[in-house]
Amino acid sequence: MYDLKLIKEVYDTMEQRIASARKKLKRPLSLAEKIIYSHLYEKNNITNHKRGEDYINFAPDRVAMQDATAQMALLQFMNAGKSKTAVPSTVHCDHLIQAYKEGKSDLSVALSKNKEVYDFLKSVTNKYGIGFWKPGAGIIHQILIENYAFPGGMMIGTDSHTVNAGGLGMMAIGVGGADAVDVMAGFPWELKSPKLMGIKLTGKLNGWTAPKDIILKVAGIVSAKGGTGYILEYFGEGAKSLSATGKGTICNMGAEVGATTSMFGYDESMDRFLRATDRAQVADLANSIKENLTGDPEFYDSAEKYFDKYIEIDLNTLEPSLNGPFTPDRCTPISEMVNEAPKNGWPVKIEYGLIGSCTNSSYEDITRASSVIKQAIDKNIEIKSNLTVTPGSERVKETLQRDGYLEPFEKAGAQIFANACGPCIGQWNRPGAEKKEKNTIVHSFNRNFAKRADGNPNTCAFVASPEMVTALVIAGNLTFNPLKDKLINRDGKEVMLDPPKGIELPVKGFLNNNPGFQAPSKEGSDIKIIVNPKSDRLQLLDPFAAWNGKNLKNLKLLIKAKGKCTTDHISMAGPWLQYRGHLDNISNNLLMGAVNAFNDKTNSVKNSITGEYGEVSKTQRIYKKEGISTIIVGDENYGEGSSREHAAMEPRFLGVKAVLAKSFARIHETNLKKQGMLALTFDKNSDYDKIMEDDTFNFTDLDKFAPEKPLHIELVHSNGSKDTIEVKHTYNNQQIEWFKAGSALNVIKKQK
Ligand code: MIC
Ligand code: SF4
């Protein structure tokens, strides 16, 4: 399945390219820099990039897409005029399977409900030479780490958690579909030269602490936006002591601090994982150039000097934590929960514990959690909360089953869902969620934004390691600290849970009877892609119109969003995932989760023509009909979270021209640029307060749009008074061309 030839080619030239970079920079290199300099689009153009400022053009080795984003990516690729993808690419069907009863029946419901979309993806992938992973095969990031990721490689994926592959030493970056189209069409992929954050791990995990606790701690230190523009590079003895999949968990959740990607240098854990997943040849190749697949020792020895930011974490003293609710960076060590929960009004009774997801469903994770649940049975302890398990891949699930590790979960009455995203992405048909009661759940996923798992805004979701989730489910109480608290069993005796015991890799090897992969045809030109014009799930795309070259005038305010406005707030997931291939239909969810700063309500904005309040998308459709352009105003870290470009395409499609925010999350900012929108930030954040509900916005110098030059907007308030504010942007010349042409895709089409 994996492409050995490709990996050989990368490794063959790596050493020499790294040597040239070292010479040019006159200093040792980090792992991130080694991968950067061996993946430049113009191979020999080695320059000393200014981190955080210069743009770099890359030639990634692979592209990966999941079904909820692949639809839009491939609809765009179909318009790019190519007959095959320029690099090996795959599509993974994981997001559209709803978790309700149990894996098998849920999967068969999904197969019939999503047939049209799966058939579309199957035929498009077949036509353009893209590998297709069937529904039920597993979650994209597990399939990638088990099959395609390789140390020192570079991959982009249309999902923010593509970064998971950093656990195997790969530079893997989440992007929007339009970026994937660039690479699949053979164009360079552009990224602002990332800054580097070094995280040294000392000591060794012990007892109840797990790799998850490392990233929960990092999220608490760095914050949800603190990683923006950074690559997080982990090193030190503690790093070497972690399994490859444990490293994957840490890299995975780097997305939650906004990091461009995270990675670990090649070590024996990766060698073991490659061999266990039938890739001994890759391990041998990697071993032959292993010092090129990790940072230079001199770099790590002077970490404080070379990294832009530097953190040290002592694993010996690390405590298990729970992060949440509503944001993944609110970190509470378990020993403090007993005070924090009552103080904050978090319900301590746990309704559900959910383990698995792309973040935490490795063999090691589930064996550790299994050892905890088994104790409840052996020690005759009543399990107080509901428990669900979503395995990450069929390969891991089959193997766990053979080795008897799923059995204790089944005995304990846990629901075992399909190998898919399920509850992690709102695809959870949770009984009673519609009552919107305040309640607490704990899970081992990565995100816990409001409504994310079950659509209930009053569900407080806490993120923890799978073994901690399992312990908390047994106790049924958020303040239970398994390190010191006792439980009373059915015999009335006091018992304690022993620390979890896991197995890194299956002793008898992985089973892989049912991979679920379909290779594409060698020759696809005869394959016709049919999209029913009456479909409500798929819609061919019309190109966006080019800019008319004039200053934008008389814009109305669609919404001034207050506080957190993630991509889940902008383009909700859950039931809306079914419209991911139909731009018109999905646009009906535009910004429905965002809080209007003027009335503190969601999905209620003033229509400046009628003065009435209505849903965001409906109001915007009226403006569109009336030919009135609009602007969205946002707070800090606007567009945090997912890579879904729908969050940028929907406003574009409905006639919004610009988003002006205090700051942006990286992927969303790029997505806006790619779709021909203006992504602007306040020069002075206090100007956010000047924006009034009835304002009219006039750009005064957009006709002189140029890199590094601020723009100016005149605000005309309803009482006739005016303010002119300065706004900043990060567009380079190429990106200004996208804006002028109407989208990046329009530029590709011209170049073809
Ligand atoms: C997520 O975890 O939010 C998702 C769903 O995987 C998204 C992709 C999507 O919105 O389709 C992501 O992280 O990019
Ligand atoms: Fe799927 Fe959740 Fe992972 Fe996103 S974070 S890929 S929704 S399992």
Side-chain angles (χ1 to χ4, degrees):
M1 230 164 286
Y2 62 88
D3 197 332
L4 195 64
K5 192 164 146 263
L6 179 152
I7 300 174
K8 258 200 191 117
E9 273 167 23
V10 174
Y11 287 179
D12 278 351
T13 59
M14 222 169 159
E15 185 148 63
Q16 175 251 320
R17 294 209 216 177
I18 290 170
S20 318
R22 219 182 263 124
K23 214 161 134 201
K24 178 87 193 181
L25 273 62
K26 300 197 187 67
R27 58 166 175 81
L29 299 178
S30 64
L31 168 63
E33 290 169 314
K34 292 183 183 181
I35 302 184
I36 286 176
Y37 286 109
S38 44
H39 287 84
L40 299 176
Y41 191 79
E42 292 113 14
K43 290 190 177 57
N44 300 318
N45 186 7
I46 296 193
T47 35
N48 192 354
H49 308 284
K50 274 203 225 89
R51 296 185 212 157
E53 285 181 36
D54 295 347
Y55 280 95
I56 310 179
N57 280 336
F58 287 107
D61 303 315
R62 302 195 64 91
V63 173
M65 294 160 277
Q66 42 87 343
D67 49 3
T69 49
Q71 298 171 59
M72 209 43 95
L74 294 173
L75 283 163
Q76 294 177 78
F77 185 70
M78 284 161 62
N79 282 348
K82 303 284 168 188
S83 58
K84 280 242 163 329
T85 59
V87 301
S89 307
T90 47
V91 163
H92 306 260
C93 296
D94 52 2
H95 279 62
L96 302 178
I97 304 168
Q98 198 186 48
Y100 179 40
K101 289 188 177 139
E102 56 78 43
K104 233 188 177 153
S105 58
D106 290 351
L107 178 61
S108 79
V109 172
L111 287 174
S112 70
K113 195 167 158 224
N114 304 314
K115 183 170 186 312
E116 184 186 7
V117 170
Y118 293 146
D119 286 349
F120 168 76
L121 291 174
K122 219 186 281 172
S123 61
V124 181
T125 49
N126 201 11
K127 180 172 177 72
Y128 294 111
I130 302 170
F132 178 77
W133 287 82
K134 296 181 193 159
I139 307 173
I140 173 169
H141 311 302
Q142 288 307 313
I143 303 284
L144 293 172
I145 201 166
E146 286 169 21
N147 296 279
Y148 298 116
F150 64 95
M154 181 188 245
M155 164 169 70
I156 60 164
T158 61
D159 189 283
S160 60
H161 294 106
T162 306
V163 292
N164 187 69
L168 207 48
M170 187 169 211
M171 181 180 282
I173 303 182
V175 297
D179 283 42
V181 172
D182 283 350
V183 176
M184 291 192 292
F187 288 94
W189 175 66
E190 182 196 68
L191 179 75
K192 192 175 259 187
S193 171
K195 290 189 262 179
L196 303 176
M197 193 183 304
I199 305 183
K200 182 173 182 178
L201 304 179
T202 61
K204 204 165 179 245
L205 292 175
N206 53 71
W208 282 90
T209 38
K212 183 76 154 207
D213 297 303
I214 300 176
I215 186 62
L216 294 179
K217 173 90 181 169
V218 169
I221 300 172
V222 175
S223 92
K225 65 180 265 242
T228 310
Y230 281 89
I231 291 183
L232 273 45
E233 186 165 327
Y234 292 84
F235 64 99
E237 277 318 302
K240 291 199 183 118
S241 70
L242 304 170
S243 64
T245 49
K247 292 178 169 86
T249 297
I250 295 169
C251 294
N252 181 302
M253 262 194 84
E256 276 47 66
V257 297
T260 302
T261 190
S262 304
M263 59 181 70
F264 284 80
Y266 184 67
D267 64 20
E268 282 167 19
S269 72
M270 299 186 195
D271 173 281
R272 291 195 295 275
F273 186 72
L274 285 168
R275 288 180 202 283
T277 47
D278 308 321
R279 289 174 289 173
Q281 283 172 303
V282 181
D284 292 340
L285 280 180
N287 286 332
S288 72
I289 60 154
K290 65 174 181 230
E291 49 302 328
N292 293 306
L293 302 176
T294 186
D296 287 337
E298 301 82 0
F299 194 100
Y300 292 150
D301 287 346
S302 307
E304 267 168 290
K305 169 169 158 202
Y306 290 127
F307 283 110
D308 299 294
K309 264 192 197 168
Y310 174 69
I311 301 174
E312 244 180 73
I313 296 179
D314 178 5
L315 305 189
N316 289 334
T317 55
L318 188 69
E319 206 189 318
S321 310
L322 293 171
N323 283 26
F326 306 118
T327 183
D329 58 349
R330 182 169 186 167
C331 179
T332 307
I334 189 64
S335 60
E336 289 169 27
M337 194 46 103
V338 63
N339 300 321
E340 285 299 307
K343 213 162 73 196
N344 293 288
W346 301 329
V348 293
K349 176 169 181 256
I350 295 172
E351 302 294 334
Y352 267 94
L354 306 104
I355 65 170
S357 90
C358 68
T359 329
N360 268 113
S361 58
S362 64
Y363 190 82
E364 184 179 41
D365 285 332
I366 307 294
T367 52
R368 278 174 70 88
S370 183
S371 79
V372 176
I373 200 77
K374 190 165 177 296
Q375 293 180 52
I377 301 163
D378 295 348
K379 298 183 185 180
N380 202 18
I381 312 170
E382 187 194 346
I383 299 168
K384 298 278 173 25
S385 313
N386 301 302
L387 180 61
T388 76
V389 184
T390 22
S393 73
E394 182 61 19
R395 179 192 276 194
V396 170
K397 183 176 151 196
E398 260 178 12
T399 311
L400 287 165
Q401 224 148 18
R402 177 199 64 195
D403 298 345
Y405 291 106
L406 286 187
E407 208 183 289
F409 289 107
E410 283 156 1
K411 274 199 186 142
Q415 275 174 294
I416 316 271
F417 289 140
N419 313 314
C421 301
C424 179
I425 188 56
Q427 292 279 32
W428 182 25
N429 189 346
R430 176 181 173 186
E434 68 291 345
K435 291 189 211 139
K436 301 218 171 21
E437 283 164 350
K438 189 163 180 183
N439 77 103
T440 290
I441 64 174
V442 283
H443 63 61
S444 73
F445 311 157
N446 40 35
R447 294 200 168 135
N448 53 356
F449 306 140
K451 298 192 194 177
R452 167 105 179 162
D454 60 3
N456 173 1
N458 302 316
T459 294
C460 297
F462 293 86
V463 184
S465 70
E467 45 272 53
M468 277 301 289
V469 170
T470 309
L472 291 169
V473 158
I474 295 172
N477 193 303
L478 195 62
T479 63
F480 174 68
N481 180 359
L483 280 77
K484 59 179 196 40
D485 293 346
K486 298 196 173 82
L487 294 165
I488 310 285
N489 74 1
R490 289 195 181 93
D491 311 320
K493 283 205 196 102
E494 282 192 337
V495 282
M496 274 191 81
L497 295 174
D498 305 321
K501 282 203 188 73
I503 298 174
E504 181 183 324
L505 292 161
V507 183
K508 288 190 259 167
F510 278 109
L511 283 179
N512 200 10
N513 292 329
N514 211 351
F517 175 69
Q518 179 185 295
S521 301
K522 288 246 160 359
E523 170 51 53
S525 56
D526 289 344
I527 299 169
K528 291 237 165 356
I529 312 294
I530 300 158
V531 170
N532 181 346
K534 295 213 188 84
S535 166
D536 70 348
R537 303 222 26 199
L538 294 167
Q539 182 188 41
L540 294 174
L541 292 172
D542 287 329
F544 293 132
W547 176 51
N548 64 8
K550 296 199 188 118
N551 272 315
L552 296 170
K553 297 274 182 208
N554 296 319
L555 272 64
K556 287 303 194 181
L557 177 71
L558 176 61
I559 185 172
K560 175 167 155 181
K562 180 172 137 186
K564 219 178 189 39
C565 191
T566 71
T567 44
D568 279 12
H569 298 80
I570 307 171
S571 175
M572 190 102 11
W576 290 94
L577 286 175
Q578 60 185 308
Y579 300 121
R580 283 291 184 83
H582 198 294
L583 186 52
D584 196 4
N585 284 346
I586 195 153
S587 295
N588 290 332
N589 75 3
L590 178 65
L591 283 156
M592 62 188 284
V595 177
N596 179 353
F598 297 108
N599 61 7
D600 280 339
K601 291 189 181 157
T602 53
N603 217 8
S604 164
V605 292
K606 187 166 172 185
N607 173 335
S608 70
I609 312 170
T610 61
E612 280 163 20
Y613 284 81
E615 289 174 17
V616 184
S617 65
K618 286 212 176 111
T619 308
Q620 180 56 35
R621 282 191 194 268
I622 298 172
Y623 288 131
K624 185 181 182 182
K625 214 160 132 214
E626 299 294 327
I628 298 173
S629 301
T630 53
I631 182 167
I632 293 167
V633 171
D635 216 317
E636 292 282 8
N637 210 20
Y638 183 87
E640 162 188 356
S642 143
S643 68
R644 61 190 76 147
E645 63 196 325
H646 306 76
M649 292 179 90
E650 293 176 24
R652 174 77 172 107
F653 176 71
L654 293 181
V656 181
K657 295 287 188 270
V659 181
L660 170 60
K662 289 186 186 166
S663 60
F664 284 103
R666 175 189 62 87
I667 306 180
H668 187 62
E669 182 180 14
T670 308
N671 286 345
L672 287 168
K673 291 177 177 179
K674 288 247 147 155
Q675 301 300 339
M677 295 267 293
L678 289 172
L680 309 169
T681 51
F682 290 101
D683 179 47
K684 282 200 236 53
N685 275 352
S686 56
D687 285 346
Y688 172 89
D689 301 323
K690 291 193 180 143
I691 312 280
M692 295 294 137
E693 199 170 23
D694 297 314
D695 283 356
T696 301
F697 300 71
N698 298 315
F699 282 78
T700 58
D701 46 10
L702 187 62
D703 48 347
K704 300 189 194 69
F705 194 11
E708 279 156 46
K709 252 186 75 180
L711 292 168
H712 297 85
I713 305 177
E714 178 191 66
L715 311 174
V716 185
H717 305 301
S718 55
N719 63 4
S721 68
K722 290 179 184 171
D723 274 306
T724 297
I725 59 169
E726 186 161 298
V727 299
K728 293 180 292 183
H729 68 83
T730 60
Y731 287 72
N732 60 20
N733 279 318
Q734 170 67 44
Q735 295 168 343
I736 291 177
E737 289 311 310
W738 301 342
F739 168 72
K740 289 185 175 163
S743 71
L745 188 59
N746 289 351
V747 175
I748 293 193
K749 261 197 282 184
K750 272 196 245 159
Q751 291 172 345
K752 108 178 169 200

